[in-house]
Amino acid sequence: MRIMRAAYASRFDADNPLAALTVGDRPEPAHLDDDWVTVQVRASSLNHHDLWSLRGVGLADGQLPMILGCDAAGTDPDGNEVVIYPVLPTPGDPRGVSILSEHYQGTLAERVAVPRMNLLPLPTGLSATDAACLPTAWRMLTTRGRIADGEAVLVQGAGGGVATAAVALGLALGKRVYATSRDAAKRDRIAALGATALEPGARLPERVDVVIETVGAATFDHSLKSAAPMARIVVAGATSGHLPPVNLRRVFAMQLEILGTSMGTPDELTELLAFCAEHEVRPVVDSVVPFSRVADAFARLHSGEVFGKVVVDHTA
């Protein structure tokens, strides 16, 4: 049996997720149907989803060991450079779909198996490292947030991968972008990108049309107060807690929309790749770590000190 190196959840640890991470040998990925292919992974990126998986959120004991990771770029069997679309039909899941590392083995390995239809061409001008960290932010801003109908965006908790991508994309789309962070150094970096950096809870110069919310309980009241009439608050995470109090009078009086989202569609990813190539937009990368030190990449993400995406280089 052919084996490969991989980073995977071998058990769960709610208090210390890093203790549940194992880096070692795993079997070659299996093809679950005739249309599945094996991709040689060149770069991948970490998400907080990976840390939640190590805590046991969204996975059961019977699914272990589970290779982590969902965002990646690599080379297909014909030698083409590709980006992996990580959402797969999953009949047993109540959503009808799942992302890699939930029901199917993930991308933090030398190789990953996916349906051929989940492979998109890597555009000229984008590196595998860039493509591996293109996150949910595009869908939050465009499809769900309908930013084309607005002029101003608030990004809560800029520093994480989705939030920093939302800042960069919002600016590239020509919008006024406000972004919060508790960390003064991160606020300086936000300002350097061209956004208006604010402390959490600060009063904005104007109410915004779209709020990008991945923080949750700690910022949600501020998101509601900062929203213009008929604004969209788009939620794709809750790193500070998932049960915030919600002032429903403000919701109905201001006719606000609270919208949930996760990964986008293949068409949205294709659109995003083309936009980034055309406008020379690149994701904000905190650090690039060789796969031989993938445990250090997890430790960096877990530290909370990141600004942008933590990328794993599988060629180093």
Side-chain angles (χ1 to χ4, degrees):
M1 179 176 63
R2 193 178 179 195
I3 60 173
M4 63 181 184
R5 296 289 287 176
Y8 57 95
S10 55
R11 61 185 181 89
F12 302 131
D13 192 320
D15 298 321
N16 182 16
L18 298 182
L21 175 69
T22 298
V23 181
D25 292 338
R26 294 297 303 147
E28 184 79 8
H31 291 187
L32 303 183
D33 211 333
D34 291 341
D35 67 333
W36 282 54
V37 296
T38 297
V39 174
Q40 187 78 29
V41 180
R42 293 179 54 204
S44 60
S45 64
L46 302 188
N47 294 284
H48 280 281
H49 179 273
D50 299 310
L51 293 176
W52 287 112
S53 295
L54 291 167
R55 292 184 175 101
V57 177
L59 289 176
D61 287 330
Q63 295 172 280
L64 298 180
M66 176 62 76
I67 297 173
L68 302 169
C70 56
D71 295 324
T75 307
D76 73 8
D78 301 318
N80 301 308
E81 294 185 325
V82 295
V83 179
I84 296 172
Y85 174 65
V87 181
L88 283 70
T90 310
D93 190 288
R95 300 166 296 179
V97 298
S98 66
I99 63 174
L100 291 171
S101 77
E102 291 182 335
H103 293 275
Y104 305 100
Q105 299 293 327
T107 57
L108 282 167
E110 293 180 66
R111 291 171 290 279
V112 63
V114 294
R116 186 177 286 277
M117 65 181 294
N118 282 62
L119 303 182
L120 302 174
L122 178 68
T124 301
L126 277 183
S127 69
T129 300
D130 291 334
C133 33
L134 293 167
T136 311
W138 181 258
R139 177 176 174 83
M140 295 181 79
L141 285 167
T142 58
T143 306
R144 299 297 271 166
R146 306 193 302 279
I147 191 57
D149 298 333
E151 295 299 329
V153 182
L154 169 63
V155 180
Q156 296 283 22
V162 172
T164 51
V167 171
L169 289 169
L171 291 167
L173 288 164
K175 307 304 177 181
R176 295 187 297 278
V177 178
Y178 304 94
T180 65
S181 176
R182 294 175 298 174
D183 187 291
K186 290 183 180 180
R187 291 197 296 273
D188 289 343
R189 296 186 68 176
I190 291 165
L193 292 175
T196 300
L198 301 162
E199 293 186 13
R203 186 181 182 89
L204 274 60
E206 61 180 319
R207 295 186 186 274
V208 299
D209 307 293
V210 178
V211 181
I212 300 300
E213 177 63 82
T214 60
V215 179
T219 58
F220 206 79
D221 186 61
H222 182 242
S223 294
L224 290 170
K225 291 177 178 177
S226 302
M230 304 183 72
R232 284 76 64 194
I233 301 172
V234 188
V235 184
T239 55
S240 70
H242 65 284
L243 295 173
V246 177
N247 185 337
L248 292 179
R249 287 180 294 185
R250 184 177 293 274
V251 173
F252 67 73
M254 299 288 281
Q255 301 186 65
L256 303 179
E257 297 180 49
I258 301 173
L259 304 163
T261 192
S262 54
M263 301 300 293
T265 66
D267 287 345
E268 287 168 340
L269 181 54
T270 299
E271 185 180 55
L272 170 58
L273 291 169
F275 180 86
C276 289
E278 178 182 353
H279 295 272
E280 298 186 348
V281 177
R282 298 295 180 266
V284 179
V285 174
D286 173 86
S287 52
V288 179
V289 180
F291 185 78
S292 59
R293 291 175 38 226
V294 66
D296 293 340
F298 273 86
R300 175 68 180 169
L301 179 64
H302 187 246
S303 73
E305 298 176 357
V306 297
F307 188 84
K309 295 292 280 188
V310 178
V311 181
V312 179
D313 183 353
H314 293 240
T315 68

